[in-house]
Amino acid sequence: MPLWDRIETAIVEARKRTLGAFLEAFAAQKQRRNETAFSIALIALSAKMAKADGVVTDDEIAAFKDFFSFPEKEADKVRMIYQLAQQDVAGFDEYLRRAAKIFEDAPAVLEDVLDCLFHVATADGVAHPRELELLEKAATVFGVSKPAYHRLKAVHLGLGADDPHLILGVEPGAGLDAVKSAYRALSRDHHPDALMARGVPPDLVRIAEGRMAAINAAYEQILTDYR
């Protein structure tokens, strides 16, 4: 069954209760890691994030459409999930917990979800303090490592004062071999093929491009110390 048909079936089920309750039931299923689970969890969390600063702007919704490409004929399904999430009394924290449970055996997928939430939070050109607070909370609930969080922060907010060693996950003063090894491992983990293998929808694999840009920038910055 095509992805959007599966999503439509999920929406029908979600409307019988709440989207949050549906995600909770999804987490209990044996086969949890797939494009449907990823897509619904991501759309729902994006809706909650878009509402975090008190106002859902057209820019935030457009940003979701920008990085999560879908056929125009499926737009109503995306809007429906947005509406179900925003109408649910369960808060962002609850949705984070449920998403974490769905992908508890796939930490790299949770990093992918967090990356997308950064897209939503920074869609209007500025990250509201409340949104930054929620992103940090998401990283904690998802168990995203400190280096991974700083990589995503560098992608969306700029490298700034972040230590490039932290972004690569190596200690300051690490030998060149250790730096190169860390760089190769990160390049492997964030390759589009790796994302697709994790169940990330094909249209979303381009999120890896931003991460690789941050990884490359940090790597180049560190290499200058060895030249």
Side-chain angles (χ1 to χ4, degrees):
M1 182 185 295
L3 171 62
W4 288 100
D5 288 347
R6 295 198 303 270
I7 288 177
E8 182 175 13
T9 300
I11 291 172
V12 171
E13 290 298 314
R15 293 183 71 175
K16 294 177 182 177
R17 32 191 166 170
T18 66
L19 185 57
F22 173 78
L23 290 174
E24 187 74 24
F26 215 152
Q29 295 178 11
K30 186 175 181 180
Q31 298 297 329
R32 297 176 295 178
R33 284 178 54 187
N34 56 42
E35 290 181 8
T36 307
F38 184 94
S39 300
I40 293 176
L42 175 58
I43 297 169
L45 281 168
S46 296
K48 291 293 188 182
M49 173 62 75
K51 202 175 180 181
D53 56 4
V55 179
V56 180
T57 69
D58 290 340
D59 285 341
E60 287 166 327
I61 294 175
F64 181 79
K65 293 179 181 178
D66 179 56
F67 73 83
F68 193 111
S69 301
F70 51 84
E72 188 56 37
K73 65 180 181 178
E74 309 296 356
D76 285 344
K77 294 172 187 175
V78 175
R79 293 190 195 99
M80 179 61 69
I81 298 174
Y82 248 72
Q83 291 167 2
L84 288 171
Q86 292 177 342
Q87 292 166 3
D88 193 352
V89 295
F92 185 70
D93 291 12
E94 239 346 85
Y95 271 57
L96 287 177
R97 185 185 67 77
R98 288 163 182 168
K101 189 174 180 182
I102 291 172
F103 300 110
E104 62 186 355
D105 59 344
V109 174
L110 291 170
E111 184 179 340
D112 297 332
V113 173
L114 182 60
D115 193 348
C116 294
L117 292 180
F118 263 99
H119 274 279
V120 175
T122 58
D124 53 5
V126 61
H128 190 279
R130 174 60 176 159
E131 290 172 324
L132 290 176
E133 179 184 331
L134 292 180
L135 288 169
E136 290 181 6
K137 181 172 292 185
T140 299
V141 174
F142 288 171
V144 172
S145 69
K146 193 172 182 180
Y149 178 77
H150 281 270
R151 277 195 296 275
L152 296 180
K153 187 178 174 186
V155 169
H156 298 282
L157 301 177
L159 191 59
D162 280 329
D163 187 338
H165 294 86
L166 182 58
I167 291 173
L168 291 192
V170 296
E171 293 293 328
L176 184 57
D177 287 344
V179 172
K180 289 183 176 179
S181 178
Y183 174 74
R184 285 193 295 268
L186 288 171
S187 298
R188 217 171 28 244
D189 291 344
H190 297 289
H191 189 278
D193 289 346
L195 269 71
M196 291 183 70
R198 297 199 287 262
V200 176
D203 287 336
L204 270 175
V205 297
R206 58 182 174 168
I207 64 175
E209 295 175 5
R211 262 179 274 175
M212 278 310 306
I215 291 167
N216 288 335
Y219 181 59
E220 287 299 321
Q221 190 171 333
I222 293 175
L223 286 186
T224 59
D225 296 335
Y226 293 91
R227 290 171 182 161

